[in-house]
Amino acid sequence: MLTRIDHIGIACFDLDKTVEFYRATYGFEVFHSEVNEEQGVREAMLKINETSDGGASYLQLLEPTREDSTVAKWLDRNGEGVHHIAFGTADVDGDAAAIRDKGVRVLYDEPRTGSMGSRITFLHPKDCGGVLTELVTAKGAEGSEDPHSH
Ligand code: CMX
Ligand code: CO
């Protein structure tokens, strides 16, 4: 079950400059930063709020680390802006399988590693009304759904 907005992914050319914009304009601080070589990104996570299921919602600022990465390709075509949205779930495997059964292309057979040790997969934007959509299970959140809630 998808229970929250985990993050909004924003692509930028210059991560440090973009981090500074979000700090100076809104007062958001970097909660975590890392390089994810598999995804070809350097990223900063800005925590916006905690959520009632024990998770949180973030902005994920993304700068490509290499020219052949998906984010570099997207920036070439579109310039800076909102790149994807991500929903949080305690069960990315189960939710991805259920969504695949509805005919939506899930990009990975097995979830891969995302921010802060999370497990992530993506839904093809062409099957989601033009919105690249990510599903995320935060590290430690596996199976944390309240069994009485549904
Ligand atoms: N949002 C909406 N549409 C998108 C898109 C995006 N972010 N990226 C590509 N598209 C659209 C393109 O506009 C294009 O549409 P048209 O055919 O109408 O022109 C179509 O999808 C194909 O675009 P493409 O440039 O040829 O891109 P690819 O098919 O090579 O890749 C995708 C698209 C979704 C498979 C690829 O971006 C992908 O694998 N994404 C998942 C991984 C990822 O984005 N990682 C970075 C973030 C990491 C993180 O969040 O942690
Ligand atoms: Co993301």
Side-chain angles (χ1 to χ4, degrees), residues 59-99:
L59 293 183
Q60 180 184 43
L61 307 180
L62 301 159
E63 178 194 88
T65 54
R66 44 185 162 81
E67 268 313 303
D68 64 349
S69 64
T70 56
V71 172
K73 193 173 169 188
W74 188 87
L75 279 165
D76 276 350
R77 281 185 66 165
N78 303 284
E80 296 184 316
V82 175
H83 178 260
H84 64 273
I85 64 169
F87 295 121
T89 168
D91 179 17
V92 62
D93 302 87
D95 286 332
I99 290 169

mmCIF file of all heavy atoms in Angstrom, residues 59-99:
data_model
loop_
_atom_site.group_PDB
_atom_site.id
_atom_site.type_symbol
_atom_site.label_atom_id
_atom_site.label_comp_id
_atom_site.label_asym_id
_atom_site.label_seq_id
_atom_site.Cartn_x
_atom_site.Cartn_y
_atom_site.Cartn_z
ATOM 1 N N LEU A 59 12.513 16.445 -0.605
ATOM 2 C CA LEU A 59 12.855 16.825 -1.973
ATOM 3 C C LEU A 59 14.164 16.117 -2.269
ATOM 4 O O LEU A 59 15.066 16.093 -1.425
ATOM 5 C CB LEU A 59 13.061 18.335 -2.106
ATOM 6 C CG LEU A 59 11.840 19.230 -1.923
ATOM 7 C CD1 LEU A 59 12.255 20.682 -2.171
ATOM 8 C CD2 LEU A 59 10.713 18.831 -2.853
ATOM 9 N N GLN A 60 14.264 15.529 -3.451
ATOM 10 C CA GLN A 60 15.503 14.866 -3.876
ATOM 11 C C GLN A 60 16.094 15.685 -5.028
ATOM 12 O O GLN A 60 15.556 15.678 -6.134
ATOM 13 C CB GLN A 60 15.192 13.435 -4.345
ATOM 14 C CG GLN A 60 16.419 12.660 -4.810
ATOM 15 C CD GLN A 60 16.057 11.281 -5.365
ATOM 16 O OE1 GLN A 60 15.095 11.140 -6.115
ATOM 17 N NE2 GLN A 60 16.822 10.270 -4.997
ATOM 18 N N LEU A 61 17.166 16.400 -4.744
ATOM 19 C CA LEU A 61 17.820 17.207 -5.777
ATOM 20 C C LEU A 61 18.881 16.343 -6.451
ATOM 21 O O LEU A 61 19.691 15.705 -5.773
ATOM 22 C CB LEU A 61 18.451 18.447 -5.145
ATOM 23 C CG LEU A 61 17.508 19.298 -4.275
ATOM 24 C CD1 LEU A 61 18.252 20.512 -3.702
ATOM 25 C CD2 LEU A 61 16.276 19.743 -5.053
ATOM 26 N N LEU A 62 18.841 16.291 -7.778
ATOM 27 C CA LEU A 62 19.646 15.336 -8.545
ATOM 28 C C LEU A 62 20.519 16.040 -9.570
ATOM 29 O O LEU A 62 20.015 16.833 -10.376
ATOM 30 C CB LEU A 62 18.722 14.386 -9.326
ATOM 31 C CG LEU A 62 17.740 13.543 -8.529
ATOM 32 C CD1 LEU A 62 16.591 13.090 -9.418
ATOM 33 C CD2 LEU A 62 18.469 12.347 -7.935
ATOM 34 N N GLU A 63 21.807 15.724 -9.538
ATOM 35 C CA GLU A 63 22.733 16.209 -10.560
ATOM 36 C C GLU A 63 23.362 14.976 -11.213
ATOM 37 O O GLU A 63 23.774 14.058 -10.498
ATOM 38 C CB GLU A 63 23.828 17.054 -9.876
ATOM 39 C CG GLU A 63 24.896 17.597 -10.794
ATOM 40 C CD GLU A 63 26.105 18.103 -9.992
ATOM 41 O OE1 GLU A 63 27.009 17.285 -9.713
ATOM 42 O OE2 GLU A 63 26.142 19.291 -9.636
ATOM 43 N N PRO A 64 23.427 14.927 -12.536
ATOM 44 C CA PRO A 64 24.007 13.727 -13.171
ATOM 45 C C PRO A 64 25.504 13.611 -12.887
ATOM 46 O O PRO A 64 26.202 14.620 -12.789
ATOM 47 C CB PRO A 64 23.748 13.941 -14.665
ATOM 48 C CG PRO A 64 23.466 15.390 -14.823
ATOM 49 C CD PRO A 64 22.939 15.903 -13.527
ATOM 50 N N THR A 65 25.982 12.377 -12.785
ATOM 51 C CA THR A 65 27.421 12.155 -12.601
ATOM 52 C C THR A 65 28.097 11.780 -13.916
ATOM 53 O O THR A 65 29.314 11.752 -13.991
ATOM 54 C CB THR A 65 27.702 11.019 -11.599
ATOM 55 O OG1 THR A 65 26.988 9.859 -12.036
ATOM 56 C CG2 THR A 65 27.256 11.384 -10.200
ATOM 57 N N ARG A 66 27.296 11.408 -14.915
ATOM 58 C CA ARG A 66 27.889 11.057 -16.212
ATOM 59 C C ARG A 66 26.913 11.375 -17.339
ATOM 60 O O ARG A 66 25.691 11.398 -17.130
ATOM 61 C CB ARG A 66 28.322 9.586 -16.245
ATOM 62 C CG ARG A 66 27.325 8.624 -15.654
ATOM 63 C CD ARG A 66 27.865 7.192 -15.603
ATOM 64 N NE ARG A 66 27.097 6.377 -14.678
ATOM 65 C CZ ARG A 66 25.927 5.795 -14.950
ATOM 66 N NH1 ARG A 66 25.397 5.926 -16.135
ATOM 67 N NH2 ARG A 66 25.292 5.101 -14.034
ATOM 68 N N GLU A 67 27.483 11.605 -18.505
ATOM 69 C CA GLU A 67 26.718 12.062 -19.666
ATOM 70 C C GLU A 67 25.673 11.052 -20.153
ATOM 71 O O GLU A 67 24.661 11.424 -20.733
ATOM 72 C CB GLU A 67 27.671 12.397 -20.832
ATOM 73 C CG GLU A 67 28.101 13.844 -20.854
ATOM 74 C CD GLU A 67 26.934 14.821 -20.680
ATOM 75 O OE1 GLU A 67 25.986 14.766 -21.489
ATOM 76 O OE2 GLU A 67 26.961 15.624 -19.724
ATOM 77 N N ASP A 68 25.926 9.754 -19.917
ATOM 78 C CA ASP A 68 24.988 8.731 -20.426
ATOM 79 C C ASP A 68 23.931 8.354 -19.373
ATOM 80 O O ASP A 68 23.194 7.393 -19.552
ATOM 81 C CB ASP A 68 25.752 7.482 -20.890
ATOM 82 C CG ASP A 68 26.483 6.794 -19.741
ATOM 83 O OD1 ASP A 68 26.588 7.381 -18.638
ATOM 84 O OD2 ASP A 68 26.952 5.655 -19.950
ATOM 85 N N SER A 69 23.839 9.118 -18.284
ATOM 86 C CA SER A 69 22.843 8.794 -17.252
ATOM 87 C C SER A 69 21.454 9.267 -17.681
ATOM 88 O O SER A 69 21.318 10.152 -18.536
ATOM 89 C CB SER A 69 23.226 9.461 -15.930
ATOM 90 O OG SER A 69 23.183 10.863 -16.066
ATOM 91 N N THR A 70 20.435 8.676 -17.081
ATOM 92 C CA THR A 70 19.056 9.049 -17.429
ATOM 93 C C THR A 70 18.788 10.516 -17.120
ATOM 94 O O THR A 70 18.096 11.199 -17.879
ATOM 95 C CB THR A 70 18.033 8.182 -16.660
ATOM 96 O OG1 THR A 70 18.283 8.314 -15.270
ATOM 97 C CG2 THR A 70 18.124 6.726 -17.040
ATOM 98 N N VAL A 71 19.353 11.018 -16.026
ATOM 99 C CA VAL A 71 19.093 12.417 -15.651
ATOM 100 C C VAL A 71 19.821 13.379 -16.607
ATOM 101 O O VAL A 71 19.274 14.412 -16.985
ATOM 102 C CB VAL A 71 19.481 12.682 -14.176
ATOM 103 C CG1 VAL A 71 19.398 14.162 -13.841
ATOM 104 C CG2 VAL A 71 18.547 11.893 -13.246
ATOM 105 N N ALA A 72 21.035 13.021 -17.042
ATOM 106 C CA ALA A 72 21.750 13.876 -18.006
ATOM 107 C C ALA A 72 20.956 13.962 -19.313
ATOM 108 O O ALA A 72 20.784 15.045 -19.888
ATOM 109 C CB ALA A 72 23.150 13.322 -18.268
ATOM 110 N N LYS A 73 20.462 12.827 -19.755
ATOM 111 C CA LYS A 73 19.678 12.777 -20.991
ATOM 112 C C LYS A 73 18.416 13.640 -20.850
ATOM 113 O O LYS A 73 18.053 14.405 -21.742
ATOM 114 C CB LYS A 73 19.308 11.316 -21.255
ATOM 115 C CG LYS A 73 18.770 11.034 -22.631
ATOM 116 C CD LYS A 73 18.598 9.520 -22.813
ATOM 117 C CE LYS A 73 17.816 9.217 -24.079
ATOM 118 N NZ LYS A 73 17.453 7.796 -24.202
ATOM 119 N N TRP A 74 17.772 13.538 -19.700
ATOM 120 C CA TRP A 74 16.538 14.291 -19.455
ATOM 121 C C TRP A 74 16.825 15.793 -19.418
ATOM 122 O O TRP A 74 16.092 16.599 -19.997
ATOM 123 C CB TRP A 74 15.898 13.805 -18.149
ATOM 124 C CG TRP A 74 14.542 14.364 -17.906
ATOM 125 C CD1 TRP A 74 13.342 13.863 -18.345
ATOM 126 C CD2 TRP A 74 14.227 15.564 -17.163
ATOM 127 N NE1 TRP A 74 12.311 14.677 -17.917
ATOM 128 C CE2 TRP A 74 12.822 15.716 -17.204
ATOM 129 C CE3 TRP A 74 15.000 16.500 -16.484
ATOM 130 C CZ2 TRP A 74 12.179 16.776 -16.576
ATOM 131 C CZ3 TRP A 74 14.356 17.562 -15.860
ATOM 132 C CH2 TRP A 74 12.957 17.686 -15.918
ATOM 133 N N LEU A 75 17.913 16.189 -18.748
ATOM 134 C CA LEU A 75 18.281 17.617 -18.661
ATOM 135 C C LEU A 75 18.591 18.186 -20.041
ATOM 136 O O LEU A 75 18.231 19.332 -20.340
ATOM 137 C CB LEU A 75 19.501 17.784 -17.756
ATOM 138 C CG LEU A 75 19.244 17.782 -16.246
ATOM 139 C CD1 LEU A 75 20.554 17.589 -15.481
ATOM 140 C CD2 LEU A 75 18.548 19.070 -15.801
ATOM 141 N N ASP A 76 19.230 17.385 -20.873
ATOM 142 C CA ASP A 76 19.532 17.837 -22.247
ATOM 143 C C ASP A 76 18.255 18.181 -22.992
ATOM 144 O O ASP A 76 18.195 19.148 -23.741
ATOM 145 C CB ASP A 76 20.244 16.723 -23.033
ATOM 146 C CG ASP A 76 21.737 16.718 -22.773
ATOM 147 O OD1 ASP A 76 22.234 17.677 -22.158
ATOM 148 O OD2 ASP A 76 22.396 15.737 -23.183
ATOM 149 N N ARG A 77 17.246 17.353 -22.785
ATOM 150 C CA ARG A 77 15.987 17.552 -23.522
ATOM 151 C C ARG A 77 15.100 18.619 -22.918
ATOM 152 O O ARG A 77 14.404 19.340 -23.634
ATOM 153 C CB ARG A 77 15.186 16.231 -23.558
ATOM 154 C CG ARG A 77 15.698 15.253 -24.590
ATOM 155 C CD ARG A 77 14.813 14.032 -24.689
ATOM 156 N NE ARG A 77 13.484 14.319 -25.210
ATOM 157 C CZ ARG A 77 12.645 13.402 -25.657
ATOM 158 N NH1 ARG A 77 12.991 12.127 -25.654
ATOM 159 N NH2 ARG A 77 11.461 13.722 -26.099
ATOM 160 N N ASN A 78 15.071 18.668 -21.575
ATOM 161 C CA ASN A 78 14.050 19.482 -20.892
ATOM 162 C C ASN A 78 14.575 20.678 -20.116
ATOM 163 O O ASN A 78 13.793 21.552 -19.742
ATOM 164 C CB ASN A 78 13.258 18.609 -19.909
ATOM 165 C CG ASN A 78 12.620 17.421 -20.595
ATOM 166 O OD1 ASN A 78 11.614 17.568 -21.284
ATOM 167 N ND2 ASN A 78 13.221 16.251 -20.465
ATOM 168 N N GLY A 79 15.862 20.684 -19.819
ATOM 169 C CA GLY A 79 16.368 21.679 -18.873
ATOM 170 C C GLY A 79 15.975 21.291 -17.460
ATOM 171 O O GLY A 79 15.406 20.223 -17.232
ATOM 172 N N GLU A 80 16.268 22.152 -16.502
ATOM 173 C CA GLU A 80 16.031 21.815 -15.101
ATOM 174 C C GLU A 80 14.531 21.760 -14.782
ATOM 175 O O GLU A 80 13.736 22.457 -15.404
ATOM 176 C CB GLU A 80 16.685 22.868 -14.207
ATOM 177 C CG GLU A 80 18.206 22.883 -14.346
ATOM 178 C CD GLU A 80 18.870 23.863 -13.395
ATOM 179 O OE1 GLU A 80 18.358 24.994 -13.265
ATOM 180 O OE2 GLU A 80 19.892 23.505 -12.788
ATOM 181 N N GLY A 81 14.176 20.928 -13.791
ATOM 182 C CA GLY A 81 12.775 20.876 -13.365
ATOM 183 C C GLY A 81 12.431 19.578 -12.662
ATOM 184 O O GLY A 81 13.311 18.787 -12.308
ATOM 185 N N VAL A 82 11.121 19.375 -12.465
ATOM 186 C CA VAL A 82 10.640 18.173 -11.769
ATOM 187 C C VAL A 82 10.838 16.962 -12.677
ATOM 188 O O VAL A 82 10.348 16.930 -13.800
ATOM 189 C CB VAL A 82 9.153 18.316 -11.378
ATOM 190 C CG1 VAL A 82 8.645 17.012 -10.766
ATOM 191 C CG2 VAL A 82 8.970 19.466 -10.393
ATOM 192 N N HIS A 83 11.576 15.980 -12.177
ATOM 193 C CA HIS A 83 11.940 14.803 -12.971
ATOM 194 C C HIS A 83 11.052 13.598 -12.661
ATOM 195 O O HIS A 83 10.685 12.842 -13.548
ATOM 196 C CB HIS A 83 13.416 14.470 -12.702
ATOM 197 C CG HIS A 83 13.932 13.254 -13.406
ATOM 198 N ND1 HIS A 83 14.057 12.029 -12.788
ATOM 199 C CD2 HIS A 83 14.327 13.073 -14.682
ATOM 200 C CE1 HIS A 83 14.535 11.150 -13.663
ATOM 201 N NE2 HIS A 83 14.706 11.759 -14.814
ATOM 202 N N HIS A 84 10.709 13.397 -11.386
ATOM 203 C CA HIS A 84 9.851 12.259 -11.029
ATOM 204 C C HIS A 84 9.205 12.490 -9.667
ATOM 205 O O HIS A 84 9.619 13.370 -8.915
ATOM 206 C CB HIS A 84 10.637 10.938 -11.025
ATOM 207 C CG HIS A 84 11.728 10.845 -9.986
ATOM 208 N ND1 HIS A 84 13.004 11.297 -10.188
ATOM 209 C CD2 HIS A 84 11.722 10.327 -8.727
ATOM 210 C CE1 HIS A 84 13.740 11.069 -9.104
ATOM 211 N NE2 HIS A 84 12.977 10.487 -8.192
ATOM 212 N N ILE A 85 8.182 11.675 -9.392
ATOM 213 C CA ILE A 85 7.597 11.640 -8.055
ATOM 214 C C ILE A 85 7.817 10.241 -7.489
ATOM 215 O O ILE A 85 7.986 9.285 -8.251
ATOM 216 C CB ILE A 85 6.089 11.986 -8.046
ATOM 217 C CG1 ILE A 85 5.277 10.947 -8.829
ATOM 218 C CG2 ILE A 85 5.856 13.383 -8.621
ATOM 219 C CD1 ILE A 85 3.782 11.092 -8.624
ATOM 220 N N ALA A 86 7.821 10.141 -6.166
ATOM 221 C CA ALA A 86 8.054 8.842 -5.524
ATOM 222 C C ALA A 86 7.065 8.635 -4.389
ATOM 223 O O ALA A 86 6.920 9.499 -3.521
ATOM 224 C CB ALA A 86 9.482 8.771 -4.993
ATOM 225 N N PHE A 87 6.405 7.471 -4.428
ATOM 226 C CA PHE A 87 5.486 7.090 -3.355
ATOM 227 C C PHE A 87 6.189 6.139 -2.394
ATOM 228 O O PHE A 87 6.947 5.265 -2.826
ATOM 229 C CB PHE A 87 4.257 6.379 -3.926
ATOM 230 C CG PHE A 87 3.403 7.249 -4.810
ATOM 231 C CD1 PHE A 87 3.164 6.894 -6.133
ATOM 232 C CD2 PHE A 87 2.834 8.419 -4.327
ATOM 233 C CE1 PHE A 87 2.367 7.693 -6.952
ATOM 234 C CE2 PHE A 87 2.034 9.220 -5.132
ATOM 235 C CZ PHE A 87 1.807 8.858 -6.453
ATOM 236 N N GLY A 88 5.904 6.272 -1.117
ATOM 237 C CA GLY A 88 6.468 5.395 -0.097
ATOM 238 C C GLY A 88 5.533 4.243 0.209
ATOM 239 O O GLY A 88 4.310 4.402 0.230
ATOM 240 N N THR A 89 6.133 3.073 0.444
ATOM 241 C CA THR A 89 5.378 1.870 0.787
ATOM 242 C C THR A 89 6.242 0.995 1.694
ATOM 243 O O THR A 89 7.475 1.044 1.609
ATOM 244 C CB THR A 89 5.009 1.058 -0.481
ATOM 245 O OG1 THR A 89 4.530 -0.240 -0.073
ATOM 246 C CG2 THR A 89 6.196 0.860 -1.409
ATOM 247 N N ALA A 90 5.600 0.178 2.524
ATOM 248 C CA ALA A 90 6.347 -0.785 3.325
ATOM 249 C C ALA A 90 6.692 -2.031 2.512
ATOM 250 O O ALA A 90 7.442 -2.889 2.971
ATOM 251 C CB ALA A 90 5.535 -1.168 4.563
ATOM 252 N N ASP A 91 6.136 -2.138 1.299
ATOM 253 C CA ASP A 91 6.293 -3.376 0.517
ATOM 254 C C ASP A 91 6.442 -3.063 -0.973
ATOM 255 O O ASP A 91 5.509 -3.248 -1.760
ATOM 256 C CB ASP A 91 5.073 -4.281 0.764
ATOM 257 C CG ASP A 91 5.148 -5.578 -0.027
ATOM 258 O OD1 ASP A 91 6.236 -5.948 -0.511
ATOM 259 O OD2 ASP A 91 4.084 -6.229 -0.168
ATOM 260 N N VAL A 92 7.623 -2.588 -1.348
ATOM 261 C CA VAL A 92 7.841 -2.216 -2.754
ATOM 262 C C VAL A 92 7.692 -3.430 -3.676
ATOM 263 O O VAL A 92 7.164 -3.303 -4.787
ATOM 264 C CB VAL A 92 9.211 -1.506 -2.942
ATOM 265 C CG1 VAL A 92 10.380 -2.392 -2.565
ATOM 266 C CG2 VAL A 92 9.381 -0.988 -4.365
ATOM 267 N N ASP A 93 8.094 -4.619 -3.218
ATOM 268 C CA ASP A 93 7.981 -5.810 -4.072
ATOM 269 C C ASP A 93 6.520 -6.122 -4.376
ATOM 270 O O ASP A 93 6.140 -6.327 -5.532
ATOM 271 C CB ASP A 93 8.628 -7.021 -3.379
ATOM 272 C CG ASP A 93 10.090 -6.775 -3.050
ATOM 273 O OD1 ASP A 93 10.351 -6.221 -1.954
ATOM 274 O OD2 ASP A 93 10.947 -7.110 -3.866
ATOM 275 N N GLY A 94 5.706 -6.148 -3.333
ATOM 276 C CA GLY A 94 4.289 -6.481 -3.496
ATOM 277 C C GLY A 94 3.541 -5.427 -4.296
ATOM 278 O O GLY A 94 2.743 -5.749 -5.184
ATOM 279 N N ASP A 95 3.815 -4.166 -4.015
ATOM 280 C CA ASP A 95 3.117 -3.099 -4.732
ATOM 281 C C ASP A 95 3.538 -3.046 -6.199
ATOM 282 O O ASP A 95 2.705 -2.833 -7.083
ATOM 283 C CB ASP A 95 3.350 -1.755 -4.055
ATOM 284 C CG ASP A 95 2.571 -1.622 -2.762
ATOM 285 O OD1 ASP A 95 1.511 -2.269 -2.654
ATOM 286 O OD2 ASP A 95 3.006 -0.896 -1.861
ATOM 287 N N ALA A 96 4.834 -3.262 -6.468
ATOM 288 C CA ALA A 96 5.295 -3.260 -7.862
ATOM 289 C C ALA A 96 4.645 -4.413 -8.625
ATOM 290 O O ALA A 96 4.210 -4.240 -9.779
ATOM 291 C CB ALA A 96 6.821 -3.363 -7.918
ATOM 292 N N ALA A 97 4.550 -5.581 -7.996
ATOM 293 C CA ALA A 97 3.938 -6.737 -8.666
ATOM 294 C C ALA A 97 2.463 -6.470 -8.952
ATOM 295 O O ALA A 97 1.963 -6.774 -10.048
ATOM 296 C CB ALA A 97 4.096 -7.985 -7.793
ATOM 297 N N ALA A 98 1.769 -5.883 -7.994
ATOM 298 C CA ALA A 98 0.336 -5.603 -8.178
ATOM 299 C C ALA A 98 0.125 -4.574 -9.289
ATOM 300 O O ALA A 98 -0.818 -4.696 -10.095
ATOM 301 C CB ALA A 98 -0.267 -5.100 -6.867
ATOM 302 N N ILE A 99 0.993 -3.595 -9.359
ATOM 303 C CA ILE A 99 0.869 -2.547 -10.383
ATOM 304 C C ILE A 99 1.224 -3.116 -11.757
ATOM 305 O O ILE A 99 0.580 -2.809 -12.760
ATOM 306 C CB ILE A 99 1.726 -1.323 -9.994
ATOM 307 C CG1 ILE A 99 1.087 -0.624 -8.785
ATOM 308 C CG2 ILE A 99 1.874 -0.350 -11.168
ATOM 309 C CD1 ILE A 99 1.943 0.445 -8.126
#
